[in-house]
Amino acid sequence: MPLPPDQAAGVRQRQSARLVELQGTPPGGTYRAQLPEDKESRPAGHLLHQRNHRGPQDGRALPEQLRTGFCGQRKTLSTFPITTLCCVPTIFRLLVQEDLTRYQFQSLRHCLTGGEALNPGVREKWKRQTGVELYEGYGQSETVVICANPKGMKIKSGSMGKAVPPYDVQIVDDEGNVLPPGEEGNVAIRIRPTRPFCFFNCYLDNPEKTAASEQGDFYITGDRARMDKDGYFWFMGRNDDVINSSSYRIGPVEVESALAEHPAVLESAVVSSPDPIRGEVVKAFIVLTPDYSSHDPEALTRELQEHVKRVTAPYKYPRKNCQRRFLERSKGVNCEVRSGGNEVQPQEGPVDL
């Protein structure tokens, strides 16, 4: 049956959208931007989606390849009439390492990100250098987007926004009880008495997992966060990622965000590491910016530890730290400082990003 004219127009409009996609290439390779040959058929705007860059064999990104890739992305944004840029925060973190004011992104109107927590400093640098706001959203495969910062809403740096219709998103404890604003708990979606119409039905052929994901009237996402008095959600980390150190619960995302504010840190990942006294301690893997690649490892480790103490709390600093240089060549010095702060183990070898 043919669609009504207004619906048919909508379908045609969606079909006319174009996706400009930069595909990962080996070092020295080129990038392809697929656009209609007929200029008259080109839409007014394009969406640029960045795929992950992969190494040639083992799937790990190489420094030279990253530089080649992001140079290509900046040129693509300057050359083509791309109005919307959608990337994970890692891409934006790498892009703002250089002065973007040298580029003219004349068509760029809307930038959005998700998939991991967005550091406030990255958002501020991106907006300052490009003049375009960066909007963060949060969701899962089971739910699609459940929290977002839509246009027109005040953005709080570091927050993944407010709940979006039709979802009733709450922070609950392990028994499914709604927690008051400010308290950390499980990110949950109300599914009873009415299940959201766009929500997934179940985990296929896995009724046990489906049952385990529900607590009381809520579906439990497996992520932890807090909600402030204004209804903004603040991501803390996955349930199974939270570090329990001497009975203190530490969210890796908070420590990663603190590290990202230091000029020495290009990228970081915080994980739990076993400890015979505290049970677990914070361990940070850090990729250094080029300006700090020749700094003394011990001194820089102490500086980063003190920085995290000041920004977060004294008990949250990384007691184990692995620094990795970001050099022109894919060769540098890896060093690991273990708890106690005195044992440094330098090792020549390739930089593994």
Side-chain angles (χ1 to χ4, degrees):
M1 183 175 69
L3 293 172
D6 56 338
Q7 293 185 28
V11 172
R12 286 195 296 269
Q13 184 180 12
R14 288 193 295 272
Q15 290 176 339
S16 69
R18 293 294 187 270
L19 176 67
V20 180
E21 183 173 327
L22 297 184
Q23 299 187 5
T25 62
T30 59
Y31 283 81
R32 300 193 302 274
Q34 190 66 36
L35 294 173
E37 295 182 2
D38 180 9
K39 292 184 178 180
E40 294 183 358
S41 67
R42 294 184 183 182
H46 299 82
L47 169 70
L48 174 60
H49 166 72
Q50 175 68 55
R51 277 188 178 177
N52 291 332
H53 296 268
R54 298 296 183 185
Q57 294 179 349
D58 58 5
R60 293 175 297 185
L62 300 176
E64 293 171 300
Q65 188 174 348
L66 286 171
R67 281 193 172 84
T68 302
F70 295 114
C71 179
Q73 189 182 63
R74 291 189 293 269
K75 290 180 179 178
T76 301
L77 286 168
S78 301
T79 303
F80 296 101
I82 296 167
T83 56
T84 303
L85 174 61
C86 178
C87 297
V88 295
T90 297
I91 304 294
F92 288 104
R93 277 198 294 271
L94 291 170
L95 284 172
V96 298
Q97 295 302 315
E98 295 192 23
D99 182 12
L100 296 178
T101 59
R102 297 181 299 161
Y103 298 86
Q104 297 294 322
F105 305 150
Q106 297 181 356
S107 300
L108 195 60
R109 298 291 181 268
H110 188 57
C111 298
L112 59 157
T113 186
E116 58 178 300
L118 174 65
N119 178 262
V122 174
R123 171 188 167 250
E124 292 160 7
K125 287 181 182 178
W126 178 262
K127 185 176 181 179
R128 183 171 63 250
Q129 294 187 32
T130 66
V132 182
E133 185 59 87
L134 183 52
Y135 295 88
E136 182 179 8
Y138 162 80
Q140 297 183 311
S141 300
E142 295 92 335
T143 66
V144 196
V145 178
I146 62 173
C147 293
N149 289 278
K151 279 191 172 183
M153 188 180 82
K154 176 185 176 181
I155 293 179
K156 294 186 179 183
S157 283
S159 167
M160 55 191 185
K162 295 183 177 182
V164 298
Y167 295 108
D168 178 5
V169 185
Q170 299 290 339
I171 302 297
V172 304
D173 61 19
D174 293 337
E175 284 71 46
N177 302 307
V178 177
L179 295 173
E183 288 197 25
E184 178 186 336
N186 302 303
V187 180
I189 299 171
R190 191 181 299 276
I191 57 175
R192 296 184 182 89
T194 304
R195 195 177 186 90
F197 70 91
C198 47
F199 197 63
F200 84 122
N201 289 326
C202 64
Y203 292 104
L204 186 63
D205 299 328
N206 197 340
E208 293 81 9
K209 184 175 182 180
T210 302
S213 68
E214 299 178 2
Q215 188 64 252
D217 294 338
F218 293 94
Y219 160 77
I220 308 300
T221 63
D223 291 322
R224 295 186 67 82
R226 60 180 175 85
M227 182 176 65
D228 65 20
K229 59 182 179 61
D230 298 320
Y232 286 79
F233 288 83
W234 304 78
F235 184 79
M236 307 301 293
R238 291 287 300 172
N239 257 331
D240 50 6
D241 286 342
V242 173
I243 302 166
N244 193 328
S245 182
S246 297
S247 298
Y248 288 108
R249 294 176 64 85
I250 304 170
V253 172
E254 184 181 8
V255 181
E256 290 171 355
S257 294
L259 287 168
E261 295 179 13
H262 194 283
V265 178
L266 176 67
E267 190 65 72
S268 69
V270 171
V271 299
S272 168
S273 183
D275 184 81
I277 298 175
R278 297 177 177 86
E280 297 176 315
V281 295
V282 177
K283 182 172 184 177
F285 294 85
I286 298 169
V287 180
L288 298 177
T289 56
D291 292 342
Y292 282 78
S293 62
S294 59
H295 278 55
D296 176 66
E298 291 186 81
L300 185 54
T301 293
R302 289 191 295 270
E303 181 179 336
L304 291 172
Q305 289 173 330
E306 291 302 318
H307 169 75
V308 173
K309 288 180 184 179
R310 289 193 303 271
V311 175
T312 59
Y315 63 88
K316 295 183 180 181
Y317 77 94
R319 297 175 186 271
K320 295 182 181 180
N321 177 39
C322 183
Q323 301 173 12
R324 296 189 174 184
R325 273 70 172 154
F326 193 73
L327 304 176
E328 291 296 331
R329 302 286 183 183
S330 58
K331 184 177 182 181
V333 178
N334 297 344
C335 67
E336 180 171 345
V337 180
R338 301 185 183 277
S339 57
N342 297 319
E343 184 181 354
V344 181
Q345 299 179 340
Q347 178 187 357
E348 294 289 341
V351 175
D352 171 20
L353 295 184

